[in-house]
């Protein structure tokens, strides 16, 4: 995706932009096709509708009738056995709903329903919704890949390597789920990369302005908690524009679009929920249990970010490496992701998202961290490293993670919601053979997880990965082609 005044200071020719769009479109079609196969495979292993997914589909159907009221739609779905609903089901057991001053509406913000509306209109409710989330999530990840490539001047091998990082089995599973968490992370990452582009080039383009405006405008519509990162991203964009000495109209337009969108959402909430922030949620309280669940979203054997997608640690390294060159973008990233992490971790009323897939509450963190990993890959390229060696290591790790999934021994769903009892031997994690030394954060009262040494093991492994990534960017440190050293 070309940007006027990019790192090489020239305008991208229309022919180059056309080729880029053509290639990206082809990649999107192929990637979605492969992800449909992944979705079909996990569906055949019992991962069908779970948690709040039926509510989002029913909301999308209601919006097709130009109304957010879901009662008639839910009853019609029940009578027609739509999305595998039993004929004797009750509306309250099918969809999470709220009876407000103007009828029964879905419990959640309308963004996901509006996003899926055109896909659900095809008539194939569940499968159309799955294809819908696959398309929007994949398109967003492709945009992140291209903008991260442009920002870091990543070479061809580095671009392939970055694509390998995006092929994590845990992420491929998350992409197909009908939840707003991953797409929220995609929007946050897209906005952060545009802020970084503005900060690095000292110029603002309409491309950057449109992406940031669209991201901050849509984020709260997906989840009301996204008001926090949206406000932080708008502030960061304003600071980046001011420091670049570009015309103030860019900030004014982006800010105006965001505020108008937020005002409309607040009006929707006030009208249907009689509450500005939608369905009244319990306030955030920092307790020992909240700290435990927050740590679980980072290090938990089932839920953890650094367990499911361990190479997001490379993104943490990337943030550290550019903290002086791109301070605004780094601060925007850290603050946005931390606030999402804390809000999700301290939501102890429904730990880890209830009956959804394990790790849903940390999916929002993944896209931005993988985007910043491009900084490290670019450093490796400039150090003269051949990226085939680490790419083989990364690919081998993904294959190892995929084995229990392929042979049907992986537990997809939230352990806490399933068991409610402490039974570690009864649950398989993401890494066969390593699971028993990784901590679980599913038992209230065990703030730092159990087994007690598990967190120390993970922190030690993380330190090794971080040190290796930093040292590998120094041309004389390791043998150039040493697969053993990299492993």
């Amino acid at each position: 995706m070309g940007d006027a005044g990019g790192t090489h200071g020239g305008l991208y020719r229309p022919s180059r932009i056309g080729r880029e769009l053509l290639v990206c479109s082809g990649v999107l079609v192929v990637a979605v096709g492969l992800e449909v196969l992944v979705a079909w495979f996990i569906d055949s292993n019992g991962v069908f509708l779970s948690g709040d997914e039926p509510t989002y589909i029913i909301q999308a159907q209601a919006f097709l009738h130009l109304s957010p009221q879901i009662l008639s739609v839910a009853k019609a779905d029940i009578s027609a056995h739509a999305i595998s609903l039993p004929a004797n089901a009750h509306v309250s057991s099918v969809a999470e709903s709220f009876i407000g001053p103007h009828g029964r509406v879905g419990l959640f913000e309308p963004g996901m329903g509006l996003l899926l509306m055109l896909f659900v209109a095809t008539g194939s409710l569940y499968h159309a919704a799955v294809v819908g989330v696959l398309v929007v999530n994949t398109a967003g990840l492709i945009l992140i890949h291209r903008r991260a490539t442009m920002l870091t001047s990543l070479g061809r091998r580095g671009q392939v390597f970055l694509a390998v990082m995006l092929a994590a089995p845990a992420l491929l599973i998350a992409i197909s789920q009908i939840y707003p968490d991953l797409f929220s992370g995609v929007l946050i990452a897209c906005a952060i990369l545009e802020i970084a582009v503005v900060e690095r080039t000292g110029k603002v383009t309409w491309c950057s302005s449109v992406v940031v405006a669209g991201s901050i405008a849509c984020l709260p519509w997906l989840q009301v908690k996204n008001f926090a990162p949206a406000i932080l991203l708008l502030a960061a964009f304003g600071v980046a524009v001011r420091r670049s000495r570009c015309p103030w109209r860019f900030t004014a337009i982006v800010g105006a679009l965001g505020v108008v969108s937020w005002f409309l959402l607040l009006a929707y909430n006030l009208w249907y929920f009689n509450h500005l922030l939608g369905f009244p949620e319990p306030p955030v309280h920092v307790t020992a249990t909240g700290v435990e669940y927050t740590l679980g979203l980072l290090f938990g054997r089932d839920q953890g970010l650094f367990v499911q997608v361990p190479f997001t640690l490379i993104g943490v390294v990337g943030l550290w490496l550019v903290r002086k060159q791109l301070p605004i973008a780094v601060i925007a990233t850290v603050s946005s992701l931390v606030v999402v992490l804390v809000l999700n971790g301290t939501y102890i009323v429904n730990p880890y998202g209830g009956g959804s897939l394990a790790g849903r509450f940390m999916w929002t963190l993944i896209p931005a961290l993988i985007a910043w990993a491009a900084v490290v890959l670019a450093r490796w390229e400039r150090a003269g490293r051949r990226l085939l060696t680490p790419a083989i290591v990364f690919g081998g790790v993904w294959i190892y993670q995929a084995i229990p999934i392929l042979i049907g021994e992986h537990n997809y769903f939230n352990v806490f919601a399933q068991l409610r009892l402490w039974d570690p031997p009864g649950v398989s994690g993401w890494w066969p053979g390593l699971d028993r030394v990784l901590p679980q954060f599913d038992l209230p009262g065990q703030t730092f997880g159990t087994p007690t040494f598990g967190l120390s093991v993970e922190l030690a492994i993380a330190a090794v990965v971080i040190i290796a990534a930093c040292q590998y960017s120094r041309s004389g440190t390791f043998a150039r082609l040493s697969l053993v050293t990299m492993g």
Side-chain angles (χ1 to χ4, degrees):
M1 298 294 182
D3 209 19
T7 52
H8 301 292
L11 289 170
Y12 277 29
R13 296 190 301 271
S15 59
R16 180 172 179 177
I17 297 175
R19 288 196 300 271
E20 180 87 356
L21 289 174
L22 182 62
V23 171
C24 288
S25 299
V27 171
L28 176 63
V29 171
V30 173
V32 170
L34 294 175
E35 288 158 4
V36 165
L37 294 178
V38 174
W40 169 81
F41 175 80
I42 64 174
D43 179 73
S44 66
N45 282 272
V47 181
F48 192 57
L49 287 170
S50 64
D52 304 325
E53 289 181 309
T55 303
Y56 291 117
I57 295 175
I58 291 172
Q59 277 185 306
Q61 293 174 270
F63 290 134
L64 285 173
H65 296 87
L66 305 179
S67 172
Q69 297 185 16
I70 66 171
L71 182 59
S72 60
V73 173
K75 287 183 176 180
D77 285 348
I78 292 172
S79 63
H81 302 279
I83 48 179
S84 298
L85 299 177
N88 60 348
H90 189 270
V91 173
S92 60
S93 66
V94 171
E96 296 284 346
S97 60
F98 177 81
I99 302 176
H102 297 92
R104 186 189 290 266
V105 296
L107 201 64
F108 312 112
E109 302 300 338
M112 200 67 184
L114 292 171
L115 185 69
L116 298 176
M117 188 171 62
L118 294 180
F119 296 96
V120 171
T122 61
S124 178
L125 301 182
Y126 169 67
H127 295 101
V130 169
V131 171
V133 293
L134 286 177
V135 169
V136 296
N137 283 327
T138 305
L141 291 173
I142 290 173
L143 177 60
I144 289 169
H145 183 282
R146 302 315 302 149
R147 298 303 278 173
T149 293
M150 178 266 176
L151 178 68
T152 59
S153 300
L154 204 58
R156 289 186 181 276
R157 290 183 176 85
Q159 293 175 42
V160 173
F161 197 158
L162 188 60
V164 170
M165 295 184 71
L166 288 167
L171 182 57
L172 294 178
I173 292 173
I175 286 174
S176 66
Q177 301 304 296
I178 308 170
Y179 285 102
D181 301 81
L182 181 60
F183 188 56
S184 296
V186 167
L187 293 179
I188 290 173
C190 287
I192 285 169
L193 286 171
E194 298 306 327
I195 292 168
V197 168
V198 171
E199 190 175 9
R200 178 167 183 173
T201 63
K203 297 180 180 180
V204 186
T205 65
W206 286 110
C207 173
S208 295
S209 300
V210 168
V211 172
V212 174
S215 296
I216 65 170
C218 293
L219 275 168
W221 284 79
L222 294 171
Q223 291 177 318
V224 71
K225 70 184 74 172
N226 288 339
F227 263 117
I231 293 170
L232 290 170
L233 292 171
L234 176 57
F237 180 74
V239 174
V241 171
R242 182 172 181 177
R243 290 189 61 178
S244 67
R245 301 185 183 279
C246 291
W248 61 269
R249 68 175 181 272
F250 289 101
T251 303
I253 293 173
V254 170
L257 290 173
V259 170
V260 169
S261 174
W262 301 346
F263 176 80
L264 292 175
L265 176 60
L266 294 175
Y268 172 93
N269 287 338
L270 189 61
W271 181 258
Y272 288 105
F273 294 96
N274 201 27
H275 190 273
L276 282 174
L277 296 181
F279 179 73
E281 298 281 6
V284 173
H285 292 297
V286 179
T287 63
T289 302
V291 171
E292 178 185 353
Y293 294 158
T294 302
L295 288 173
L297 292 176
L298 294 176
F299 303 106
R301 192 183 82 179
D302 305 299
Q303 312 287 342
L305 167 69
F306 299 127
V307 173
Q308 290 195 22
V309 192
F311 295 124
T312 47
L313 285 166
I314 307 297
V316 175
V317 176
L319 282 168
W320 176 257
L321 292 177
V322 297
R323 67 193 187 281
K324 295 181 179 179
Q325 293 84 4
L326 302 172
I328 300 172
V330 169
I331 292 173
T333 304
V334 174
S335 59
S336 298
L337 299 190
V338 166
V339 74
V340 170
L341 176 66
V342 172
L343 288 173
N344 284 344
T346 55
Y347 187 64
I348 62 177
V349 175
N350 191 26
Y352 300 132
S356 55
L357 266 64
R360 176 170 76 89
F361 272 15
M362 65 76 184
W363 289 347
T364 306
L365 311 181
I366 297 175
L369 291 178
I370 290 183
W372 284 112
V375 172
V376 180
L377 302 186
R379 294 287 182 100
W380 290 355
E381 284 185 333
R382 287 196 291 273
R385 303 291 187 179
R386 293 186 180 181
L387 299 184
L388 177 62
T389 298
I392 291 174
V393 173
F394 280 45
V397 170
W398 293 156
I399 292 173
Y400 181 56
Q401 187 183 58
I403 289 174
I405 299 173
L406 294 173
I407 64 178
E409 294 184 357
H410 176 68
N411 182 74
Y412 293 90
F413 292 97
N414 184 353
V415 175
F416 191 98
Q418 286 183 315
L419 297 180
R420 299 290 181 182
L421 296 174
W422 188 242
D423 183 26
V427 182
S428 61
W430 291 89
W431 303 101
L434 295 177
D435 290 338
R436 297 302 173 255
V437 298
L438 301 179
Q440 287 184 281
F441 296 82
D442 303 313
L443 182 65
Q446 299 290 333
T447 304
F448 298 101
T450 183
T452 53
F453 63 82
L455 183 58
S456 299
V457 170
E458 281 194 4
L459 291 175
I461 294 173
V464 170
V465 172
I466 289 172
I467 292 171
C470 292
Q471 294 300 318
Y472 202 65
S473 65
R474 301 176 182 177
S475 57
T477 305
F478 294 141
R480 192 172 183 180
L481 298 176
S482 175
L483 180 61
V484 174
T485 300
M486 195 64 204

